[in-house]
Amino acid sequence: MKKVVASIFLLSICTTALMGAVKASTKSVVVEVENNWNKAKSDEPVVLKISDLKTGFVVKSATVWDGEKEIPSQLDDLKSDRKADELAFVMDIPAQSKKTLAITLSSAQADKTYPARVFAEMLIRDTKKQKHAPTQSVTVPGTTNFYNMLHGHGPMFESELVAYRVYFNQKQTVDPYGKFKKGLEIKESGFYPNDEQLARGFGDDVLMVGNSCGVGALKGWDGTKATHIEPIAFRTESILAYGPVRTIVDVAVKGWNYQGKELNMTNRYILYAGHRDLLVETFFDEPLENEVFCTGVQNIMGNETCSESDHKGLIGSWGRHWPVNDTVKYAKETVGIATYIPQKYIRQEVKDKDNFLYTLSAPGSDRFHHYTMFTSCKETFGYPTPEAWFAYMREWKEELQHPVQIKIKN
């Protein structure tokens, strides 16, 4: 009798496991990616909205294939509801060519991992105990000074080429970390490399951003100068995606008293593997009217500061200055910055004592976007002169204006 009961129990377990396996839903999708540009693209971002793939189930895993070669990818939950909203990957594609990709989507969770090409973290710190605890999102009242409660003063994120952080205060400035060599460093250095790490060739902070927009941070505009994001009711900074293909960082404010309105605004920073540039998407919970904002590049306060503009949305600067107040231990750093705003958003090219800027607006829309990037002169793989940097930023704009075309075939 005991053997019969045991057999029934085992059969029940096997049946339950089989039913679990049968319940997993899958769907295969064919996607065509076309590069109409006359130049090859490397690590070109491809993003598919899960809603467009019409699976009929909650997608928990996916694989992307270019013939017999698998392309590393990631599913991102952008609404914090534990459901994937986008499938993202980067790929190489020759000039004036097409690639047909096979994508399999599944409702089953997969344990597959890909080599990390990006990294992100945000750490709350206990200064008395010198300890840090990771956090995914922090919300504080607008009157709370939380800047020094976070290690690195905000979320930190990187690709193999560059690293950034976004300040958790009214400045919301994007601050850069330059590298000597390609690779991921922030997990180990925490944006503040020690002497031993510096001796091993780690990079570090390369720019004192002060009250400027730093590397392409969005600011308010009062008619004569850029302004900080204040006063507000609440500020939230979050990491939505940690990799391995891209990082996504959100900086959101609620109740921003600005130009006679009360705005709820989110700046979303997206950094892809193989990229030094950030895509900055800005969202509002209601369509804009005539509010005017600004962004651009910092006027790097040094004797060698110079800038270049095409007067059509592209602005860049190059300069040399101390990155921190400690001018004994740290040397001056030479940095190039570039920002590009699509021309449909541009209202005027302006400047103040800290920045070279464009003002922008989007009446009737609840969003706009721009791009920004930097180079550090310490890079062994970068742009060592202002001439080389300004030439590259022109090429960069042209490439951004020629994205790949994506078609879902079934």
Side-chain angles (χ1 to χ4, degrees), residues 74-340:
Q74 70 185 61
L75 291 165
D76 292 326
D77 170 15
L78 304 181
K79 299 175 184 175
S80 299
D81 60 1
R82 304 286 292 172
K83 295 179 182 179
D85 298 296
E86 292 183 350
L87 172 66
F89 53 93
V90 295
M91 62 181 294
D92 299 340
I93 183 167
Q96 298 179 335
S97 68
K98 293 181 183 179
K99 284 196 174 187
T100 301
L101 308 179
I103 299 175
T104 300
L105 305 153
S106 175
S107 64
Q109 191 75 45
D111 57 2
K112 178 179 289 189
T113 59
Y114 302 105
R117 297 186 60 194
V118 295
F119 176 78
E121 71 176 359
M122 183 162 53
L123 301 172
I124 294 178
R125 66 180 183 176
D126 183 335
T127 54
K128 292 183 178 179
K129 296 182 179 180
Q130 293 300 309
K131 292 183 178 181
H132 306 92
T135 183
Q136 185 268 336
S137 183
V138 177
T139 300
V140 301
T143 54
T144 298
N145 183 359
F146 207 74
Y147 177 80
N148 288 314
M149 302 297 288
L150 291 173
H151 178 79
H153 306 303
M156 303 170 287
F157 51 105
E158 66 176 329
S159 68
E160 306 102 315
L161 283 71
V162 292
Y164 298 91
R165 59 182 170 181
V166 183
Y167 285 152
F168 201 121
N169 62 12
Q170 72 277 14
K171 297 179 182 180
Q172 297 188 184
T173 315
V174 181
D175 188 42
Y177 174 110
K179 304 181 182 184
F180 285 97
K181 54 189 179 182
K182 293 182 181 180
L184 302 180
E185 301 182 6
I186 298 303
K187 184 175 183 179
E188 185 176 349
S189 75
F191 225 91
Y192 301 103
N194 57 35
D195 290 343
E196 185 272 333
Q197 291 166 340
L198 290 171
R200 283 195 281 131
F202 272 51
D204 56 6
D205 190 351
V206 292
L207 185 65
M208 184 184 292
V209 295
N211 286 315
S212 74
C213 69
V215 184
L218 187 76
K219 295 286 188 177
W221 177 253
D222 71 359
T224 60
K225 66 181 183 301
T227 61
H228 299 323
I229 312 300
E230 61 180 345
I232 61 166
F234 295 96
R235 177 173 286 108
T236 300
E237 300 203 2
S238 310
I239 300 175
L240 300 187
Y242 292 82
V245 173
R246 67 176 180 175
T247 67
I248 303 177
V249 169
D250 271 11
V251 179
V253 294
K254 290 188 180 298
W256 180 19
N257 187 349
Y258 183 66
Q259 295 184 356
K261 308 287 175 52
E262 189 172 279
L263 305 180
N264 296 332
M265 178 182 76
T266 299
N267 300 133
R268 176 166 294 169
Y269 296 94
I270 304 177
L271 176 63
Y272 286 93
H275 283 246
R276 67 171 64 246
D277 58 332
L278 292 174
L279 165 59
V280 187
E281 297 178 328
T282 300
F283 307 99
F284 301 85
D285 66 345
E286 294 181 352
L288 293 167
E289 295 181 1
N290 296 310
E291 298 88 348
V292 177
F293 310 89
C294 70
T295 190
V297 293
Q298 180 176 346
N299 179 2
I300 305 165
M301 300 303 292
N303 294 328
E304 301 171 24
T305 301
C306 57
S307 65
E308 182 168 309
S309 170
D310 70 352
H311 311 298
K312 296 178 180 180
L314 183 66
I315 188 76
S317 64
W318 176 277
R320 187 165 180 259
H321 197 56
W322 281 284
V324 295
N325 291 323
D326 185 351
T327 59
V328 176
K329 183 178 180 180
Y330 296 91
K332 282 185 175 181
E333 297 278 0
T334 302
V335 173
I337 311 172
T339 294
Y340 165 59

